[in-house]
Amino acid sequence: MHPNLPERLFPTARSEAATANKPTSVPQTEHPAYALAFQDNDFLLKDEMRPVRLQLELAKADLALAEAGIKSMFVFYGSARIPAPEDAQALVDNAKTDRERAIAESLKAKSVYYEEARRLARMVSGEGAMQRYFTVCSGGGPSIMEAANRGAADVGAPSVGLNIVLPFEQVPNPYVTPGLSFQFHYFALRKMHFLMRAKAVAVFPGGFGTFDEMFELLTLIQTGKVAAMPIVLFGREFWNKIINFEALADEGTINHADLELFHMVDSAEEAWAIVREHYSI
């Protein structure tokens, strides 16, 4: 543009907002109706404005990720309850009943997955030029999510955290890159952001949330809504015990070919090899 030509015709929304925040005090300006629509929380939080809030949740993280140059991600799903190896024994020691102790011992045994998630994140984040293709993304919380962001931090790489507002307090784990830490109200929009840039997905042992995310992804690929990508399920023993995938195929509720949509692995090396083979890198 020629230097003598103005870059903008209209003032920015930011400058207009600053002016609007300093009105002359008269009855009309004191009434909430006078506030600019995009600064009026009472208006934005009305049930009727849900479509706008959905759009805002999609746009905010999308723009921030684009501005950060993040075009593709390696997504980590998994439990919020599996302890880090250094914290596992304390979980057992604090158990008060036999049942609590048995559960604590089970979670302690699964702490190996915390370490594998951390190792995998370290691998995919430390491959030089490939970092930008496999930016680590987790749900931003504790346990497996923390391990993923921690692995990226180990090698000085950025990582994304997609937190969700829950009835109980959820604080982002300390390893998420602050400028890439987002909070969502709508699960649907959070799920979209997990997959919009996903190029590979690692699924670790988890509960309802992990199963929800995993089966939705498998369904999207099965129905052609999402392109096929490497999906690695960590822990053959866990998955074979919890879900009988073969039985689903034998019952006819899925095709036997659907069992090829994912791979079961036990180590970070095995998972990374599958991803590299898929993309011939």
Side-chain angles (χ1 to χ4, degrees), residues 2-278:
H2 193 279
N4 292 336
L5 298 176
E7 186 175 345
R8 295 181 62 96
L9 178 62
F10 295 101
T12 65
R14 186 181 298 276
S15 65
E16 286 286 85
T19 302
N21 285 334
K22 302 174 184 177
T24 301
S25 181
V26 295
Q28 290 80 8
T29 63
E30 294 297 325
H31 196 281
Y34 196 72
L36 289 173
F38 59 81
Q39 290 188 310
D40 187 345
N41 281 339
D42 289 337
F43 167 67
L44 289 174
L45 297 177
K46 288 179 178 290
D47 285 347
E48 294 83 356
M49 295 303 293
R50 184 174 292 114
V52 174
R53 294 197 300 274
L54 287 164
Q55 185 176 6
L56 289 172
E57 286 215 339
L58 177 63
K60 181 180 179 180
D62 190 38
L63 288 172
L65 291 169
E67 289 169 359
I70 295 174
K71 299 178 180 178
S72 54
M73 304 190 300
F74 199 128
V75 175
F76 286 65
Y77 294 143
S79 174
R81 303 185 183 194
I82 293 173
E86 60 268 26
D87 300 325
Q89 186 56 46
L91 199 65
V92 176
D93 295 340
N94 291 331
K96 295 180 174 59
T97 66
D98 288 344
R99 185 178 184 182
E100 287 182 1
R101 191 167 297 105
I103 293 172
E105 289 284 1
S106 176
L107 290 172
K108 176 185 176 182
K110 290 181 180 61
S111 65
V112 64
Y113 298 121
Y114 181 105
E115 192 56 37
E116 289 302 317
R118 184 178 178 184
R119 290 177 64 244
L120 178 61
R122 193 182 301 141
M123 287 179 187
V124 308
S125 300
E127 290 283 342
M130 282 197 289
Q131 283 185 16
R132 66 179 181 273
Y133 298 119
F134 295 106
T135 301
V136 166
C137 174
S138 84
S143 190
I144 296 299
M145 296 173 279
E146 175 187 283
N149 297 116
R150 187 176 181 181
D154 287 342
V155 294
S159 67
V160 179
L162 306 180
N163 284 79
I164 186 79
V165 177
L166 298 172
F168 46 88
E169 183 180 16
Q170 188 194 45
V171 178
N173 72 68
Y175 303 103
V176 180
T177 301
L180 301 176
S181 181
F182 306 101
Q183 183 175 213
F184 292 86
H185 172 65
Y186 298 106
F187 267 105
L189 272 298
R190 180 179 184 242
K191 288 179 177 181
M192 281 195 69
H193 277 294
F194 273 129
L195 299 182
M196 283 171 64
R197 290 172 170 80
K199 293 296 179 284
V201 175
V203 187
F204 289 81
F208 290 158
T210 301
F211 280 51
D212 174 43
E213 291 157 343
M214 178 186 73
F215 279 117
E216 182 165 35
L217 172 56
L218 291 174
T219 301
L220 289 170
I221 294 175
Q222 180 195 51
T223 56
K225 294 293 186 180
V226 168
M229 70 181 77
I231 302 172
V232 289
L233 276 56
F234 269 79
R236 288 181 175 88
E237 181 181 355
F238 173 84
W239 292 108
N240 285 327
K241 176 183 177 182
I242 301 300
I243 303 174
N244 192 334
F245 290 104
E246 290 284 350
L248 283 174
D250 291 340
E251 290 290 330
T253 55
I254 63 172
N255 294 327
H256 278 90
D258 293 333
L259 301 178
E260 299 175 8
L261 296 177
F262 58 88
H263 306 267
M264 290 191 189
V265 301
D266 288 311
S267 70
E269 289 82 3
E270 193 178 358
W272 188 218
I274 288 169
V275 175
R276 297 191 67 153
E277 180 181 2
H278 181 90

